[in-house]
Every structure is written in structure tokens, then in C-alpha cells.
Amino acid sequence: MKLYKLSPRNVALIDTLFITLVFIAAYIIISLIWFDLTTEPLLISLPFVFVANFFIIRYSFNHIIFDRIKLIYKVIGRFPNPKEKKKKSVNPLETIQEVVYQWSEDKNKEIKELKRMAAYRREFLGNVSHELKTPIFNIQGYVSTLLDGGLEDDKINRKFLAKTEKSIERLINIVNDLESISKLESGEVKLKANVFNLYELVEEVVDFLEMKAKKSNTKITIKPKLPVPFIVKANKEAIREVLINLVDNAIKYGDKHNNIVKIKLYDMDEKILTEVTDNGVGISQEYLPRIFERFFRTDRGRSRDQGGSGLGLAIVKHIIEAHRQTITARSNIGEGTTFSFTLQKV
Ligand SMILES: Nc1ncnc2c1ncn2[C@@H]1O[C@H](COP(=O)(O)OP(=O)(O)OP(=O)(O)O)[C@@H](O)[C@H]1O
Ligand SMILES: [Mg+2]
């Protein structure tokens, strides 16, 4: 029987039996020699003495020694293997040091993560207030001008009211986007999966953005050219939002004079891969890893001119990840950008 394979409870039991037998032996010797007892009463009393001894010793093992054995067992993980001992001796102190070192390493990591989250939260709150402030101050400016006599001036009253309406629209968009993000992040919204033809959805999105594309000299193509069923299992409305965001970006940040947006669908083994490519300004390698962060914009001026707040891609990433799928971006400055995402095929 190998001791190192025994559990602490069994070790305690064997020790109890051993000590009990020692006590019994002592009892027999003392009874025979010291008290000069005959064997008969001795034999009768033996079982009682054995049982009593056993339970008394067992009790003390359970409550005093067994707990200690358990602690040592916990620290070194197991009883040392005598064969291993020859190769490398296990020093319990070193093991305790290792455990404490590992614990402090884990705690350090947790503290770093908490600090990073706190900085992220601060930056996020700063961004939210900054984004909200801009349209609010604009509205305040327009309303003041109108109240200070602008209302009677036919040249500016309609113009300023229209501007106010745009700023309110912008505020609503930001608040809606923030709401979508926080719902997705908290897992509050459960995206129900539908089975649908992705090709048809792409066509619907292209139709929806047709006017905007025309205004910005953008030509949108879909490949394959002929409608082929690309049946996927995903939340249709959420994927519509993904496509609108990506195609909208490709129009906004595309080449100003001759922008070509290509949407390509690929049938992979178990997935459908969708790519949205433009030939616009591109994104530098430095900014590419941050592109899906909330409020991140490579060119704040240009993005704001386009009515953007830098939340679109953050929402897109959340949606794709909620489907347990991936989205990536590749780009070269001045050449264009491609966003690719996968969806589960049926
Ligand atoms: N196709 C693209 N080409 C070049 N830059 C892009 C492209 N798509 C996104 N970007 C950059 O990434 C930033 C973040 O995009 P995102 O869609 O999140 O925000 P937005 O378009 O500025 O605003 P929103 O989508 O919230 O209206 C953009 O501001 C832009 O700088
Ligand atoms: Mg966008």
C-alpha cells in the first residue's frame, strides 16, 4: 500500500488503529504484570477497551490532527511520492511561497484590470458629456439668436430652426446608440435568431442607402451579381443594423468623387463571410486596432461633419460578438478599407 496515494482521512484512520493497538498492548502488559490479573477478566474487558480507545483516539484525530493533515494536503496538493522525493524533494515552505507568490500575482493582475476599467469609464464619461455638449450648446445658440430678434427675420428664422432640428436629431441618435450599446453590453437584449437569406437583406440595405450613395457619388455593387441564396441563422434586424453601419461608413469615408463600395458574400464551410470594401481615405495601421472602441474617430472633424459620433462600429462589434462571430478590418491609407464579418450558415 503506498501512503502517498491515501487520502488524509484514511491516513488518520490507519494512524488511529495503530495507536489503539499500541494502547491495547500496553493495557495487556500492565494488567498482566502490574495488577496480576488472570486472563479471563482481561479477555472480557479487551473488546470494550479497544472500542473505547479507538473512538477516543479517532475523535482527537478528527478534531486536532486531521485538520492539520488537511491543511498540509491543501498546500502541497498531495502527499509526496517517495520515488519523486529521491529526484526532487518537496519543501513545503517553498510550496507555500509559490502559492503566496501566485496569489499576489493574481491580485496584481486584478488591480491592473480594475485600474484599466476605471480609466476606461472616466474616458467614456468624458466622451459622452463632450458629445452631448456640442449639440446642446448649438441648440442654445440658435434659440438665443431666435429669441434676440431672429424670429422676426425671415432670412434666418427657418434656417436656425432647421439647424436646431438637426442638432436635436443628433442628440437623439447619440442617446439611442448609447442605449443600444449598454443593452448589448449588459446582455439585457437577447438577440433572437431567425433563418433568412442574407443576400436579400444586403439588397434591401443597398436600396435603403441608395439616395445617400447617389448624393456622394458612390456606386454600390454586390457580388455574386445574380441573387444566390445565402441562408444564415442570425437576428435579422441586428444584422441589418450592422450592414447599414458598414455601408454607411463606406459611403461617408469613401472617395469623394468616384467612390466604389463592393459588398461580397462568400460561402465558407460552416459560415457566410461578408465583406464591405471602399476605395476611400483608409485607416492608418496605428488607428486600426482602436476602430471598434466607443467614440473613437480617426478624424473627428470629418466624422462630425457627416453627423457621426463614433458609436456605429462599437455597436456593430457588439452585435457580431453577441452572435459568437467575428468582425475584422483591414485598410491602407489612401487606398480604402475592408470590413469582414462572419455569420452562421444554416
Ligand atoms: N470605411 C471607412 N473608411 C475610413 N475610416 C472609417 C471607415 N469606417 C469607419 N472609419 C473611421 O472609424 C471611425 C468610427 O466609425 P463609426 O462608424 O464607429 O463612427 P462614425 O461613423 O464616426 O459615427 P456613427 O457611426 O456613430 O454615426 C470613423 O469616425 C472613421 O474615422
Ligand atoms: Mg459609422
Side-chain angles (χ1 to χ4, degrees):
M1 195 192 307
K2 287 176 186 163
L3 193 63
Y4 65 90
K5 275 194 176 168
L6 293 174
S7 70
R9 184 174 290 281
N10 287 342
V11 171
L13 200 68
I14 289 169
D15 283 355
T16 310
L17 273 171
F18 180 70
I19 294 172
T20 312
L21 287 175
V22 170
F23 268 89
I24 293 294
Y27 175 75
I28 295 171
I29 292 166
I30 290 166
S31 307
L32 285 176
I33 299 172
W34 215 307
F35 300 109
D36 213 8
L37 280 178
T38 52
T39 34
E40 201 178 325
L42 182 66
L43 283 177
I44 295 168
S45 66
L46 255 183
F48 298 104
V49 175
F50 179 86
V51 172
N53 252 319
F54 180 82
F55 281 107
I56 292 168
I57 295 165
R58 203 185 159 165
Y59 178 83
S60 56
F61 256 114
N62 274 351
H63 288 82
I64 308 159
I65 301 170
F66 181 48
D67 282 351
R68 305 263 155 83
I69 294 176
K70 252 194 342 197
L71 185 73
I72 296 170
Y73 196 82
K74 223 182 211 173
V75 173
I76 63 176
R78 64 186 163 84
F79 281 97
N81 180 342
K83 278 181 195 165
E84 259 179 37
K85 222 179 174 180
K86 276 177 205 159
K87 287 182 223 154
K88 190 189 162 196
S89 65
V90 178
N91 180 349
L93 263 182
E94 271 178 21
T95 325
I96 292 171
Q97 261 180 355
E98 263 172 40
V99 172
V100 173
Y101 178 76
Q102 190 55 47
W103 181 82
S104 67
E105 281 274 286
D106 292 349
K107 287 292 153 207
N108 272 342
K109 266 188 206 157
E110 274 174 32
I111 292 169
K112 266 190 196 159
E113 183 58 17
L114 283 175
K115 279 187 181 166
R116 198 187 62 80
M117 293 290 285
Y120 185 63
R121 230 169 265 146
R122 269 199 305 277
E123 192 192 324
F124 175 66
L125 283 177
N127 281 332
V128 172
S129 52
H130 177 82
E131 290 306 320
L132 293 178
K133 255 193 289 186
T134 315
I136 289 173
F137 286 157
N138 284 348
I139 293 168
Q140 191 186 34
Y142 302 140
V143 173
S144 299
T145 314
L146 289 170
L147 286 174
D148 290 345
L151 213 52
E152 281 80 44
D153 186 343
D154 283 346
K155 273 188 198 153
I156 63 164
N157 56 14
R158 286 198 70 81
K159 193 169 129 193
F160 273 47
L161 279 174
K163 283 187 178 211
T164 305
E165 190 189 26
K166 252 204 155 161
S167 291
I168 291 172
E169 221 170 79
R170 191 168 152 69
L171 270 180
I172 292 171
N173 282 341
I174 294 174
V175 172
N176 283 343
D177 282 354
L178 282 172
E179 198 183 30
S180 303
I181 286 191
S182 60
K183 273 187 186 166
L184 282 163
E185 275 182 358
S186 67
E188 198 185 306
V189 273
K190 291 272 169 283
L191 296 174
K192 259 176 99 183
N194 324 113
V195 173
F196 62 93
N197 183 355
L198 185 63
Y199 195 96
E200 279 173 14
L201 186 66
V202 169
E203 283 182 317
E204 282 174 34
V205 168
V206 172
D207 281 350
F208 177 72
L209 291 168
E210 198 185 0
M211 288 304 289
K212 187 166 185 174
K214 255 189 195 152
K215 273 192 199 162
S216 358
N217 303 313
T218 299
K219 187 172 176 253
I220 306 178
T221 64
I222 309 175
K223 258 194 179 164
K225 274 188 185 163
L226 292 175
V228 185
F230 282 87
I231 311 297
V232 291
K233 192 172 179 196
N235 184 284
K236 192 174 179 184
E237 285 320 301
I239 300 304
R240 185 194 302 276
E241 204 173 335
V242 167
L243 285 165
I244 290 177
N245 265 303
L246 294 181
V247 179
D248 180 60
N249 278 352
I251 296 171
K252 282 197 297 196
Y253 307 112
D255 188 281
K256 274 190 181 145
H257 308 291
N258 184 26
N259 191 22
I260 296 167
V261 175
K262 291 178 186 158
I263 306 171
K264 290 184 194 164
L265 299 176
Y266 299 94
D267 196 335
M268 317 279 276
D269 273 352
E270 288 178 357
K271 302 184 178 207
I272 301 290
L273 176 77
T274 308
E275 286 194 344
V276 180
T277 305
D278 64 69
N279 57 341
V281 286
I283 303 164
S284 73
Q285 299 308 307
E286 177 197 353
Y287 290 144
L288 216 46
R290 300 194 58 193
I291 209 75
F292 295 102
E293 283 176 24
R294 293 180 285 199
F295 295 113
F296 184 81
R297 282 160 298 183
T298 58
D299 181 348
R300 279 182 181 253
R302 179 167 180 174
S303 164
R304 199 171 286 126
D305 287 348
Q306 308 272 10
S309 55
L311 289 169
L313 285 180
I315 294 176
V316 163
K317 192 167 168 77
H318 274 299
I319 292 175
I320 296 297
E321 282 177 355
H323 284 84
R324 295 178 199 282
Q325 300 294 315
T326 48
I327 178 157
T328 53
R330 52 183 199 274
S331 183
N332 282 316
I333 281 285
E335 287 177 21
T337 307
T338 298
F339 284 91
S340 325
F341 67 90
T342 55
L343 284 179
Q344 194 61 48
K345 217 166 99 175
V346 176

